[in-house]
Amino acid sequence: RRLNIQFIVLGYDGTDDKALERRMAVRENHLKYAQEMFDAGKWLYASAILDDNEKMIGSMIVCDYPSRNVWKTIHIHRAKVAQH
């Protein structure tokens, strides 16, 4: 049996004037999908990334998958989540 690998996924929004508008347009579907991933045990933690003014500028996910997934522009780092 192959064990899953934990990853930290950092996804940053665009920096143009419409970036926050695009984020908010998909937020409801994003939150629904996030709940499905939590329920399936694939996402362990997730958070919006905020700037100094508390504006959402990206997302952070700690996930548990059998392999690296394919995203457009993000940083992916191996991780080891502490057991609690």
Side-chain angles (χ1 to χ4, degrees), residues 38-84:
F38 281 119
D39 291 346
K42 293 180 180 180
W43 287 13
L44 307 176
Y45 304 96
S47 175
I49 299 171
L50 306 178
D51 67 10
D52 290 339
N53 296 314
E54 297 193 11
K55 175 185 164 193
M56 289 185 287
I57 59 169
S59 302
M60 181 282 304
I61 303 165
V62 177
C63 54
D64 191 35
Y65 288 111
S67 65
R68 179 185 303 260
N69 289 327
V70 178
W71 288 277
K72 183 178 178 184
T73 305
I74 57 169
H75 301 274
I76 303 173
H77 303 276
R78 292 273 314 250
K80 179 66 175 161
V81 176
Q83 301 299 315
H84 45 74

Side-chain angles (χ1 to χ4, degrees), residues 16-30:
D16 60 285
D17 291 340
K18 300 278 186 179
L20 184 59
E21 182 180 323
R22 285 193 306 274
R23 169 180 272 274
M24 298 311 291
V26 299
R27 185 164 173 73
E28 186 176 327
N29 286 338
H30 170 72

